Amino acid sequence: MKVVNIHHPYQANQIPTDNVVLALGFFDGVHLGHQEVIATAKKIANEKNLKLALMTFNQHPSIVFQKIDPDQMKYLSTIKRKEELMEAQGVDILYVIEFTSAFASLSPIEFVNQYMVDLHAQVVVAGFDYTYGPKDVANMEQLPRFADNRFEVVTVAKQESDDEKISSTRIRKELADGNMEVANELLGYAYEIPGRVVHGDARGRLLGFPTANIEVDAGVRLPRVGVYAVKIKVGNQWHLGMASIGYNVTFGDNRDMTVEVYILDFKEDIYGERVAVSWHHYLREELKFDSVVDLIAQLKQDELDTAAYFKNEK
Ligand SMILES: Cc1cc2nc3c(=O)[nH]c(=O)nc-3n(C[C@H](O)[C@H](O)[C@H](O)COP(=O)(O)O)c2cc1C
Ligand SMILES: Nc1ncnc2c1ncn2[C@@H]1O[C@H](COP(=O)(O)OP(=O)(O)OP(=O)(O)O)[C@@H](O)[C@H]1O
């Protein structure tokens, strides 16, 4: 897969010369709705012997439209993760457009000319609710008119689960509620967070539960605070674990939030390793214990609950 980073206005020589089927959207999380858009585009690309190109943005459009602080924006998939997910979906060319005010203010016809026709789109595929132009003024119904027979337009019908649209917004809500099973079902895969193992307070060892403290990559959205059954990928190997997203409240107030994983049946030193943590089941809320002995007893119970969860999952 070729990744083409574009800052508006671009130079013509930045654009690969292949004719393409072009799929459009922000695609945060690359969930089942997105996957249907991409699969539809891929099928047409195969039939017509065209490359599959997909256009996404480096940051969420709401940063420009609603003036949200980019540092506050948390994603289901960072650009790096999106690249992995798109490659797995069979995308040949991934356009990452810098979503700037100048880009956002293109009129619908300018956007169609410069970002569809000039990207050599023979077919444009997007979902039923795709919009474009300043403040999202134009929609898919109007696209054939702007296309003016220069490319075909294919609109993907609404993908639903429980009579509700599958959307990034809905998945963000499920994460905020700790409903990992629902979130993962809508995503079509287990929600995964990338990060690096850093040093903690080295207290876990004394508790009998040494934890890998994870410095989560910038911009990544976390599920709600609490304790979870997780898997953690170290090198190329996935391990079972139990994780805490919390403030270690038993050890004092106003502590920083940490993401920690106790890896079951594991004794290696993995400081500095890049890891990925996938989130499978919310076990309980974070609790403030009166004594360390009580915390240790709960951790032992969490370990049993985690093992039981994964045993039943298989
Ligand atoms: C599965 C799991 C559950 C945890 N639950 C709690 C909890 O309910 N309350 C709490 O104060 N700390 C909880 N902790 C955090 C421990 O307090 C923490 O691992 C310990 O302080 C070690 O911190 P350190 O890695 O920075 O040394 C939990 C940790 C894990 C791995
Ligand atoms: N459930 C769905 N069914 C069909 N198409 C969808 C669905 N969800 C998204 N799409 C399409 O996928 C592309 C990317 O959509 P977008 O990034 O807006 O995702 P979204 O899940 O709708 O996000 P948000 O919740 O932030 O509105 C667009 O073309 C959009 O129309």
Side-chain angles (χ1 to χ4, degrees), residues 198-207 209-213 226-229 241-252 255 258-263 271 283-289 295 298-299 302-303 306:
V198 296
H199 288 276
D201 295 342
R203 191 188 307 112
R205 223 170 294 182
L206 303 175
L207 301 176
F209 288 91
T211 57
N213 285 55
V227 177
Y228 294 82
M242 55 186 194
S244 151
I245 301 177
Y247 299 88
N248 292 352
V249 288
T250 301
F251 299 93
R255 299 173 60 94
T258 62
V259 178
E260 307 177 20
V261 183
Y262 170 73
I263 311 175
Y271 285 123
L283 289 166
R284 64 171 175 88
E285 62 184 348
E286 183 183 38
L287 299 169
K288 187 177 174 112
F289 293 96
L295 170 60
Q298 179 61 54
L299 291 171
D302 293 337
E303 186 173 9
T306 299

Side-chain angles (χ1 to χ4, degrees), residues 24-27 31 34 126-127 129-130 157 159 165-169:
L24 301 173
F26 185 64
F27 299 105
H31 58 60
H34 299 150
D129 61 353
Y130 183 75
Q159 305 297 304
K165 183 192 152 189
I166 299 170
S167 73
S168 306
T169 306

Side-chain angles (χ1 to χ4, degrees), residues 248-314:
N248 292 352
V249 288
T250 301
F251 299 93
D253 299 329
N254 303 320
R255 299 173 60 94
D256 290 341
M257 196 181 76
T258 62
V259 178
E260 307 177 20
V261 183
Y262 170 73
I263 311 175
L264 273 56
D265 307 317
F266 190 83
K267 296 245 164 341
E268 291 165 40
D269 182 354
I270 55 168
Y271 285 123
E273 292 267 2
R274 279 206 59 84
V275 293
V277 180
S278 67
W279 303 78
H280 295 261
H281 178 66
Y282 176 80
L283 289 166
R284 64 171 175 88
E285 62 184 348
E286 183 183 38
L287 299 169
K288 187 177 174 112
F289 293 96
D290 293 336
S291 72
V292 170
V293 173
D294 291 345
L295 170 60
I296 294 170
Q298 179 61 54
L299 291 171
K300 285 182 179 158
Q301 185 59 49
D302 293 337
E303 186 173 9
L304 294 175
D305 292 346
T306 299
Y309 174 78
F310 283 119
K311 196 162 174 235
N312 288 333
E313 203 199 24
K314 275 175 208 149

Side-chain angles (χ1 to χ4, degrees), residues 222-238:
L222 290 173
R224 65 168 284 179
V225 165
V227 177
Y228 294 82
V230 302
K231 292 182 185 172
I232 179 167
K233 189 179 177 192
V234 183
N236 280 324
Q237 189 73 38
W238 283 96

Side-chain angles (χ1 to χ4, degrees), residues 37-187:
V37 172
I38 301 165
T40 302
K42 183 77 188 168
K43 185 160 172 276
I44 300 167
N46 288 343
E47 283 163 8
K48 294 186 182 282
N49 207 13
L50 296 168
K51 289 260 162 70
L52 170 59
L54 185 139
M55 185 197 293
T56 186
F57 308 123
N58 71 319
Q59 58 181 5
H60 198 273
S62 62
I63 288 172
V64 169
F65 289 137
Q66 288 156 34
K67 302 195 167 50
I68 291 173
D69 177 359
D71 293 337
Q72 300 304 313
M73 200 69 202
K74 302 291 176 200
Y75 297 96
L76 300 172
S77 49
T78 59
I79 279 295
K80 203 158 143 251
R81 175 83 178 119
K82 215 185 252 182
E83 285 177 16
E84 280 173 22
L85 291 165
M86 290 305 177
E87 178 130 49
Q89 297 288 315
V91 171
D92 300 306
I93 303 169
L94 179 67
Y95 284 106
V96 182
I97 316 280
E98 276 187 51
F99 202 91
T100 58
S101 300
F103 174 76
S105 61
L106 286 174
S107 69
I109 190 65
E110 287 170 330
F111 179 60
V112 168
N113 289 342
Q114 296 173 37
Y115 286 89
M116 296 184 201
V117 176
D118 292 349
L119 265 44
H120 315 298
Q122 308 298 298
V123 184
V124 168
V125 181
F128 68 106
D129 61 353
Y130 183 75
T131 53
Y132 49 97
K135 302 226 182 283
D136 295 341
V137 290
N139 60 28
M140 288 302 280
E141 263 171 45
Q142 296 153 327
L143 191 53
R145 186 161 58 80
F146 293 122
D148 199 13
N149 294 317
R150 293 174 297 172
F151 55 82
E152 276 176 58
V153 175
V154 174
T155 303
V156 175
K158 176 156 61 168
Q159 305 297 304
E160 294 184 316
S161 137
D162 294 328
D163 297 328
E164 209 188 315
K165 183 192 152 189
I166 299 170
S167 73
S168 306
T169 306
R170 191 172 157 197
I171 295 167
R172 287 183 203 117
K173 283 201 197 100
E174 300 296 352
L175 291 187
D177 291 342
N179 292 330
M180 297 317 304
E181 282 85 349
V182 180
N184 293 344
E185 192 187 311
L186 300 177
L187 284 166

